């Protein structure tokens, strides 16, 4: 019944050398677990919300009692964001986008490099902690955006197709303060098959 951290779909070392093993352990086992633990603790105060998916909670934050709204926003967001993040990365991945998302990126941004630059720039300019995103709006248009903290674009009526975690804990052990280097290297682990799945799901 309670929310749970999904297991990593690959080994902790699988994303080396781009994402180091120790970071994956801390990020998945400690940070993601903390969001889930705190989300479940908050929902103990609102048992009628316990059966809702974390996504539905984020889409309707206004319906969450004010006393736990901040906790649900931060920890539910942390849970949903990271559950996506593990899946949109994979070993032996990266490279140019494939499938329908490749065409959509080309159509919207001109080419892949222009899109990457825009996405990385959003991550670089996000002050403090947050995420850079490729989202789809209600009309079907693709946009690059960033959000602070663990805010998920769903709460603003956007569908998140892919996002990169620019919290320091995602890169600090390997990249130290060099967020720009992390943002560039991250493309080597992007799982375009999964991004395509999310792109299709977002069109429904
Ligand atoms: Mn994180």
């Amino acid at each position: 019944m309670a929310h749970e951290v999904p297991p990593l779909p690959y080994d902790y070392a699988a994303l080396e050398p781009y994402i180091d093993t120790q970071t994956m352990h801390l990020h998945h086992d400690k940070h993601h677990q903390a969001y889930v633990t705190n989300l479940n603790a908050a929902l103990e105060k609102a048992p009628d919300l316990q059966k809702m998916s974390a996504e539905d909670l984020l889409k309707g934050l206004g319906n969450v009692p004010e006393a736990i709204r901040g906790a649900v926003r931060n920890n539910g967001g942390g849970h949903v964001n990271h559950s996506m993040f593990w899946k949109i990365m994979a070993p032996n991945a990266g490279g140019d986008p494939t499938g329908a998302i490749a065409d959509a990126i080309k159509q919207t941004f001109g080419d892949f490099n222009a899109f990457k630059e825009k996405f990385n720039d959003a991550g670089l300019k996000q002050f403090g902690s947050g995420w850079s995103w490729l989202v789809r709006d209600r009309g079907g248009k693709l946009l690059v955006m960033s959000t602070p903290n663990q805010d998920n674009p769903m709460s603003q009526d956007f569908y998140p197709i892919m996002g990169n975690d620019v919290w320091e804990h995602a890169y600090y052990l390997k990249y130290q303060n060099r967020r720009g280097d992390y943002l560039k290297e991250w493309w080597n682990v992007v799982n375009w098959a999964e991004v395509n799945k999310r792109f299709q799901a977002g069109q429904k």
Side-chain angles (χ1 to χ4, degrees):
M1 211 61 185
H3 295 279
E4 284 178 9
V5 177
L8 267 191
Y10 37 73
D11 190 81
Y12 289 90
L15 304 182
E16 294 267 11
Y18 308 109
I19 313 237
D20 66 278
T21 309
Q22 200 188 349
T23 294
M24 290 302 285
H25 272 288
L26 288 170
H27 201 178
H28 178 271
D29 302 353
K30 305 294 180 193
H31 288 281
H32 191 167
Q33 184 61 57
Y35 298 125
V36 167
T37 301
N38 292 334
L39 174 63
N40 287 331
L43 292 175
E44 275 172 26
K45 292 167 206 141
D48 49 318
L49 299 183
Q50 284 173 342
K51 56 184 178 300
M52 283 179 72
S53 71
E55 287 85 354
D56 285 341
L57 288 170
L58 295 178
K59 281 180 206 159
L61 279 176
N63 305 322
V64 174
E66 213 176 330
I68 63 163
R69 194 176 298 155
V72 168
R73 177 179 180 169
N74 293 332
N75 297 293
H79 179 34
V80 170
N81 294 350
H82 289 83
S83 296
M84 170 206 70
F85 189 59
W86 312 129
K87 288 176 84 170
I88 63 161
M89 300 190 291
N92 309 310
D96 289 341
T98 54
I101 194 67
D103 298 334
I105 284 172
K106 204 171 167 190
Q107 211 167 33
T108 309
F109 303 100
D111 60 40
F112 179 43
N113 279 328
F115 161 64
K116 265 203 300 200
E117 209 170 296
K118 212 167 177 182
F119 187 97
N120 287 355
D121 196 52
L124 210 51
K125 285 186 179 149
Q126 174 56 46
F127 181 76
S129 298
W131 290 73
S132 59
W133 301 95
L134 173 65
V135 303
R136 186 181 179 278
D137 74 9
R138 231 169 215 285
K141 195 172 161 1
L142 298 192
L143 308 164
V144 166
M145 66 187 289
S146 66
T147 57
N149 307 312
Q150 293 295 351
D151 287 0
N152 186 289
M154 283 177 202
S155 303
Q156 299 171 55
D157 206 20
F158 293 112
Y159 177 82
I161 297 167
M162 64 189 291
N164 192 3
D165 187 347
V166 298
W167 282 64
E168 281 191 344
H169 66 228
Y171 60 87
Y172 202 78
L173 291 180
K174 181 177 168 77
Y175 297 94
Q176 289 126 41
N177 59 326
R178 302 185 308 273
R179 183 187 286 191
D181 290 354
Y182 158 73
L183 282 162
K184 276 188 204 132
E185 295 294 331
W186 182 74
W187 296 98
N188 289 300
V189 296
V190 171
N191 178 358
W192 290 111
E194 179 65 21
V195 173
N196 267 297
K197 261 194 231 167
R198 295 183 60 84
F199 179 52
Q200 304 295 353
Q203 286 173 319
K204 278 169 203 158

